Amino acid sequence: MAHGTGPAPEAARTLVAVFASPVAEVLLRFGAELGYRTMLMEPDPGRRPGGFTTVSEVGGHVDATCDVVLTDHHRDEIGPVLRDLLKSPARWIGIMGSPRHTGPHVQALTELGVPPEEIARVHRPIGLNIGSRTPAEIALATLAGLIADRNDRPGGFAF
C-alpha cells in the first residue's frame, strides 16, 4: 500500500478551464479531486454545462493562483480570450493543440497587437507526453503537467 507523506496540495490553487468541452469537464472533475478550486470560463451562454462554477469573461476571476487551460483551439474567441488572460495575473496559461504545427492562437494574438514576448507566455503543447487520446487521458496528462510545473519538476520518468 502506498502512503502519501507529503504536504497537502495548496488549498488556494485554482484551475480555470476555458471553453466547454469534454476535456474541460474531465479537467474540472479531476482538478477538484486534486485540491484545485475549479471554474469554467465559457463566453457562449448556449454552451455552458451545469454542475460547474461558470463565468463568461476573465474579469476579476483570474488571479495569481490560477492555472488556465484553453481546451479548444478552434474557437473564434481564442484571440480576445487569450489577450485578456495575458493581462491577468494568472500563474500559468496553456492551450491544447498539436506541437506539429503553429497554433492558431499565435496569429490571432498577433493580429490583436499582442507582442511576441507575451504570446510566448502561452504554453503549447501542454501536459505530459503519454499518447493521450480520450478526454480523460488528455485531462490526466494536462493535470500531471500542471502538478509537475507547480512542484518545479520536469514531469515524465527522468529524475
Side-chain angles (χ1 to χ4, degrees):
M1 177 183 299
H3 299 280
T5 57
E10 294 178 42
R13 186 68 59 151
T14 303
L15 174 64
V16 179
V18 180
F19 302 134
S21 70
V23 172
E25 290 185 32
V26 180
L27 264 176
L28 296 173
R29 280 198 335 258
F30 286 5
E33 291 289 328
L34 292 168
Y36 281 94
R37 287 185 314 240
T38 60
M39 179 186 324
L40 174 66
M41 189 168 82
E42 174 53 71
D44 182 348
R47 295 185 184 209
R48 295 185 188 147
F52 301 106
T53 300
T54 306
V55 299
S56 59
E57 58 187 30
V58 174
H61 306 289
V62 176
D63 59 26
T65 71
C66 291
D67 292 339
V68 181
V69 178
L70 277 76
T71 64
D72 187 340
H73 59 267
H74 296 292
R75 294 277 296 265
D76 292 337
E77 305 99 318
I78 62 170
V81 166
L82 275 172
R83 177 199 57 209
D84 294 348
L85 284 166
L86 287 168
K87 292 177 185 176
S88 79
R91 184 193 84 82
W92 189 95
I93 301 169
I95 184 169
M96 293 184 172
S98 170
R100 290 184 292 269
H101 50 80
T102 302
H105 70 286
V106 174
Q107 180 178 346
L109 289 170
T110 300
E111 289 173 359
L112 290 171
V114 177
E117 62 273 10
E118 285 296 302
I119 296 171
R121 290 182 47 216
V122 179
H123 296 268
R124 185 173 173 274
I126 61 174
L128 301 185
N129 181 2
I130 60 172
S132 306
R133 299 279 186 253
T134 68
E137 291 172 343
I138 294 166
L140 175 72
T142 300
L143 286 163
L146 288 172
I147 291 168
D149 182 75
R150 177 179 68 194
N151 294 331
D152 198 28
R153 297 288 191 259
F157 291 102
F159 295 93

